[in-house]
Amino acid sequence: MTIGFIGAGKMAEALIGGLIQKKVFSKNQIVACAPSEKTRIRMWETYGISMFETAKEMAPKADMIVIAVKPKNVAEVFAEGLDIRGKVVVSIVAGLTMESLKAYAPESKIVRVMPNHCCMVLEGAMGYTFDSSLTEDEKDQVVSMLETVGLAVEVPESEMDAITGIAGSSPAFMYMVIDAMADAGVLNGLSRADSIKLAAQSMLGSAKMVLETGKHPDQLKDEVCSPAGTTIVGVRTLENFGLRAGMIAAIDETVAKSRSMSKK
């Protein structure tokens, strides 16, 4: 099977890099298109994949199509006379509903996916939903592809906007937390490099504890907090500064933005 990417931005590159690294697809089985010559050269030099200027040129070379352009560019892509009839089409376009995509590609088999940036290091988190036209084999192929670059969860399309907030956008929030922790380390005498490494590893380890132990995050938090110890003081401070409320509000606003994009 050959997979083709319409668009070669950050999310497409994360998926391409992950698929090649995990050896699910070889560089000869991946094609992509981008209007920018600079982008085409960079992707070819970095990953060795075939690049095309337009989706119309690229589509005949691929069995499965991934649409990875900005929402505002979707209409322009299909205005080129793109023919993807009968193909499995995986959309990672934020806010693009399956109904809207079906209007552009009525004879295609649609999969809507919201991945995140961490696919680049094979630790992505994503939600996906199928339309009714895919066969079980085709569904298995898509899921296998997604699971090579991280955790993939099937959800109803009505929950895809929530996936955008909790998975698609959230790495940016995690990076902000790591950066703030590193600042605190520097404030207290650690080097910037050591602070970033320790903060990032602590976040990675905490995430693995949640996923691998199956314990509730609140239970794990209590296991770290000794009576009258250092950690509970920090927990109280974070509560006083509204960490929990701030994170909920940030994700809720992200979900609201995704819903507004879907309506448009």
Side-chain angles (χ1 to χ4, degrees):
M1 176 179 287
T2 302
I3 186 168
F5 287 79
I6 300 176
K10 292 179 181 178
M11 193 63 73
E13 184 172 0
L15 287 169
I16 290 168
L19 291 171
I20 292 175
Q21 185 177 342
K22 206 67 179 283
K23 298 181 180 178
V24 179
F25 289 90
S26 71
K27 63 182 181 181
N28 296 324
Q29 293 174 294
I30 301 176
V31 294
C33 65
S36 166
E37 183 180 9
K38 182 178 179 181
T39 299
R40 295 196 300 272
I41 291 172
R42 179 178 59 79
M43 292 295 290
W44 179 79
E45 290 179 342
T46 304
Y47 301 102
I49 64 174
S50 297
M51 294 295 300
F52 298 85
E53 184 175 357
T54 68
K56 184 178 180 180
E57 292 177 284
M58 184 214 70
K61 313 292 184 184
D63 303 303
M64 182 186 294
I65 301 290
V66 179
I67 301 180
V69 298
K70 294 179 180 179
K72 65 179 182 179
N73 295 332
V74 173
E76 180 183 343
V77 166
F78 284 93
E80 298 174 351
L82 179 63
D83 184 5
I84 50 176
R85 288 174 293 179
K87 296 180 187 286
V88 174
V89 178
V90 180
S91 169
I92 62 171
V93 181
L96 182 65
T97 65
M98 296 176 76
E99 182 181 5
S100 296
L101 184 53
K102 204 74 172 178
Y104 289 111
E107 297 180 50
S108 298
K109 302 178 179 185
I110 307 297
V111 186
R112 184 179 175 188
V113 182
M114 175 45 64
N116 70 15
H117 186 240
C118 304
C119 291
M120 180 68 82
V121 292
L122 311 183
E123 293 292 353
M126 66 205 86
Y128 63 90
T129 187
F130 299 112
D131 77 8
S132 59
S133 64
L134 277 83
T135 66
E136 290 303 314
D137 283 346
E138 288 168 337
K139 289 179 180 179
D140 289 343
Q141 289 173 347
V142 172
V143 173
S144 295
M145 176 189 74
L146 297 178
E147 288 182 342
T148 60
V149 292
L151 174 69
V153 177
E154 184 175 8
V155 297
E157 188 178 19
S158 60
E159 297 178 7
M160 289 299 288
D161 293 312
I163 294 291
T164 299
I166 201 69
S169 299
S170 64
F173 311 150
M174 301 299 106
Y175 300 146
M176 291 173 70
V177 172
I178 291 171
D179 192 39
M181 291 172 65
D183 282 346
V186 173
L187 180 66
N188 285 277
L190 293 175
S191 70
R192 171 68 62 181
D194 285 345
S195 293
I196 291 174
K197 288 179 183 178
L198 291 167
Q201 180 61 38
S202 295
M203 181 172 285
L204 175 62
S206 300
K208 292 190 72 172
M209 286 291 289
V210 172
L211 293 173
E212 295 184 11
T213 67
K215 294 180 180 179
H216 192 280
D218 212 42
Q219 180 183 351
L220 290 168
K221 178 200 71 179
D222 287 345
E223 291 178 5
V224 184
C225 294
S226 302
T230 58
T231 308
I232 193 63
V233 173
V235 168
R236 181 188 65 181
T237 302
L238 289 173
E239 292 288 6
N240 288 341
F241 277 86
L243 173 69
R244 188 185 302 267
M247 188 63 74
I248 292 172
I251 292 175
D252 193 46
E253 287 292 321
T254 303
V255 173
K257 176 66 174 179
S258 180
R259 285 175 178 152
S260 70
M261 291 170 66
S262 298
K263 290 178 181 177
K264 292 179 182 179

